[in-house]
């Protein structure tokens, strides 16, 4: 599954914002931000689902009286039977998500995550009779285990002997009640994201031949290198700093590109993070980036990198504008018959003179 909700950051509120999960979708309107004009457009175009990047409901609401644009959007959506779903940091952090698309637009190669997620992986160890090892491995892989980077079906297997004594009332798959039994088993080790644990264990228990399968789950301290904030990659050919910035300005239609002082060397390694990614500039510098591009950064942050790394601020909306294309591609692939439209409303609240 692409961009599952558990990939979102702790502060976020991605997911279904408004609506019922069992409502039938007539059409989908895609946007970065939900505004009243976007809800109007959904109504006029017969789309009863809006998929946005930024969650409409981000801060908790105590009342919905129409006093601000968020409340008015909620009221309008409810009155018109429009559901709203937001995919925010879960698509920022996903492999192939927002930042991969920005990297693709810039022609970067060897793209990898800049700040990988921590504490999201488990190791699963299960002991299974040799005759069932293959079946159990396949069950675990199809439930989502064993993915490391671009590799799938990853496991490690050790032959050994399991012992057990089935007590009165047991119905053992092998061995006899009241006797200690030795069984040639395989210790199958694999990895999984923490958030699929329940699904994996349910599938494992269903597929395992024993009444009481033995398994262990360990929390890993490994970083999850294919999931996280920002990306880094290399240009095929090094280019002059200002030429690179002009290219970024053009490709992202940036009204005003702000940057730190050029360092006087060419740009080859590029780090980037769409949206408000100022806090990841340190990781970009540590990764040896020649330039770091993000949508927003604080004025004082720039002092830390001036003279050390070229840093460019291209605008929050501008940096994430291609997110709608990712939504469109994935929804279209899953539901080829479904009407999907990108909003025609310019929701960027920032204008340039
Ligand atoms: Zn954003």
């Amino acid at each position: 599954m692409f961009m599952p909700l558990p990939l979102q950051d702790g502060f976020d509120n991605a997911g279904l914002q408004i609506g019922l999960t069992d409502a039938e979708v007539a059409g989908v309107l895609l946007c970065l931000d939900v505004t009243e004009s976007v809800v109007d457009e959904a109504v006029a175009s017969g789309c009863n689902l809006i998929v946005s990047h930024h969650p409409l409901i981000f801060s908790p609401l105590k009342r919905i009286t129409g006093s601000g644009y968020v409340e008015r959007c909620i009221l309008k959506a409810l009155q018109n039977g429009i559901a709203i779903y937001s995919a925010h940091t879960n698509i920022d952090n996903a492999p192939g998500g927002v930042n991969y698309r920005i990297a693709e637009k810039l022609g970067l190669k060897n793209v990898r995550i800049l700040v990988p997620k921590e504490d999201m992986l488990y190791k699963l160890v299960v002991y299974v009779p040799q005759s069932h090892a293959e079946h159990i491995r396949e069950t675990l892989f199809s439930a989502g285990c064993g993915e490391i980077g671009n590799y799938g079906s990853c496991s490690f297997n050790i032959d050994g002997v399991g012992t057990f004594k089935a007590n009165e009332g047991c119905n053992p798959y092998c061995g006899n009640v009241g006797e200690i039994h030795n069984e040639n088993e395989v210790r199958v080790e694999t990895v999984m994201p923490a958030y699929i644990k329940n699904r994996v264990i349910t599938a494992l228990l269903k597929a395992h031949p024993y009444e009481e399968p033995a398994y262990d789950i360990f929390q890993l301290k490994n970083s999850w290198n294919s999931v996280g904030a920002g990306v880094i990659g290399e240009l095929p050919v090094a280019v002059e700093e200002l030429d690179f910035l002009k290219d970024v300005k053009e490709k992202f239609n940036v009204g005003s590109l702000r940057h730190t002082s050029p360092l006087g060397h060419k740009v080859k390694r590029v780090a980037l993070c769409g949206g408000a990614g100022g806090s990841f500039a340190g990781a970009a510098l540590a990764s040896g980036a020649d330039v770091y591009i993000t949508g927003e950064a604080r004025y004082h942050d720039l002092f830390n990198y001036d003279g050390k790394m070229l840093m460019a601020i291209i605008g929050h909306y501008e940096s994430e504008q291609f997110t709608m294309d990712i939504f469109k591609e994935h929804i279209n692939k899953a539901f080829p018959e479904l009407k999907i439209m990108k909003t025609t409303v310019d929701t960027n609240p920032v204008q340039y003179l």
Side-chain angles (χ1 to χ4, degrees):
M1 186 198 202
F2 179 66
M3 61 174 190
L5 287 174
L7 295 190
Q8 68 181 304
D9 295 330
F11 63 82
D12 204 359
N13 187 39
L16 188 63
Q17 310 274 297
I18 295 174
L20 304 173
T21 50
D22 59 355
E24 196 163 296
V25 180
V28 186
L29 183 65
L30 309 174
C31 60
L32 276 190
D33 294 274
V34 181
T35 64
E36 286 180 87
S37 302
V38 170
V39 182
D40 288 338
E41 188 183 20
V43 175
S45 58
C47 294
N48 62 349
L49 173 63
I50 295 173
V51 175
S52 71
H53 181 42
H54 296 128
L56 174 65
I57 304 171
F58 195 71
S59 308
L61 295 166
K62 288 196 169 174
R63 60 193 69 80
I64 301 172
T65 59
S67 67
Y69 90 93
V70 171
E71 294 177 32
R72 287 195 294 276
C73 286
I74 293 169
L75 287 170
K76 195 172 269 196
L78 289 172
Q79 283 158 1
N80 290 282
I82 307 271
I84 299 179
Y85 185 95
S86 306
H88 188 211
T89 49
N90 51 320
I91 191 175
D92 289 336
N93 291 328
V98 176
N99 297 311
Y100 278 83
R101 185 57 58 102
I102 299 171
E104 188 186 314
K105 295 282 174 193
L106 293 175
L108 301 187
K109 305 291 176 203
N110 186 27
V111 178
R112 62 262 183 212
I113 293 289
L114 179 63
V115 183
K117 279 267 189 197
E118 303 286 336
D119 298 327
M120 285 195 76
L121 293 176
Y122 286 163
K123 167 160 283 192
L124 172 64
V125 174
V126 57
Y127 305 85
V128 59
Q130 284 178 351
S131 56
H132 284 68
E134 188 65 41
H135 176 53
I136 290 294
R137 277 193 296 269
E138 274 167 17
T139 299
L140 297 177
F141 298 151
S142 41
C145 292
E147 292 183 5
I148 301 178
N150 230 349
Y151 289 78
S153 305
C154 301
S155 72
F156 189 76
N157 301 269
I158 314 166
D159 288 343
V161 177
T163 70
F164 51 82
K165 184 172 86 171
N167 293 319
E168 216 46 57
C170 295
N171 181 23
Y173 168 75
C174 47
N176 298 313
V177 172
E179 293 174 9
I180 293 183
H181 177 73
N182 291 357
E183 179 70 20
N184 291 329
E185 294 180 345
V186 182
R187 174 187 160 113
V188 181
E189 297 186 12
T190 188
V191 290
M192 62 179 172
Y195 62 85
I196 66 167
K197 185 184 94 172
N198 291 348
R199 180 172 89 207
V200 168
I201 298 306
T202 302
L204 169 65
L205 296 181
K206 201 168 161 215
H208 201 292
Y210 287 0
E211 276 191 305
E212 297 289 351
Y215 63 90
D216 310 311
I217 298 171
F218 302 95
Q219 176 149 33
L220 296 180
K221 287 294 168 189
N222 305 47
S223 303
W224 193 2
N225 290 330
S226 47
V227 169
V231 297
I232 187 163
E234 282 82 30
L235 292 168
V237 179
V239 296
E240 296 294 341
E241 290 165 304
L242 288 181
D243 290 342
F244 175 74
L245 294 180
K246 283 176 192 162
D247 185 47
V248 172
K249 182 174 161 66
E250 192 187 316
K251 282 181 173 152
F252 290 81
N253 196 22
V254 180
S256 165
L257 188 149
R258 291 171 292 147
H259 61 89
T260 55
S261 313
L263 300 176
H265 58 66
K266 290 189 170 181
V267 169
K268 174 85 173 166
R269 181 169 291 172
V270 179
L272 60 89
C273 184
S279 60
F280 302 118
L285 181 66
S287 304
D290 299 311
V291 61
Y292 179 57
I293 301 164
T294 189
E296 284 185 50
R298 289 180 304 180
Y299 169 80
H300 288 284
D301 283 343
L302 300 182
F303 282 108
N304 293 327
Y305 306 100
D306 194 32
K308 294 180 188 164
M309 173 182 71
L310 182 61
M311 194 165 160
I313 317 295
I314 67 171
H316 196 127
Y317 179 93
E318 288 81 354
S319 68
E320 296 183 327
Q321 61 189 294
F322 302 111
T323 308
M324 282 186 272
D325 295 329
I326 310 175
F327 288 153
K328 189 167 183 183
E329 289 160 17
H330 283 272
I331 298 171
N332 189 254
K333 202 171 161 194
F335 306 100
E337 309 289 311
L338 189 60
K339 176 168 78 172
I340 309 166
M341 300 166 51
K342 289 200 280 183
T343 184
T344 56
V345 180
D346 178 4
T347 59
N348 189 356
V350 180
Q351 301 288 312
Y352 302 95
L353 268 178

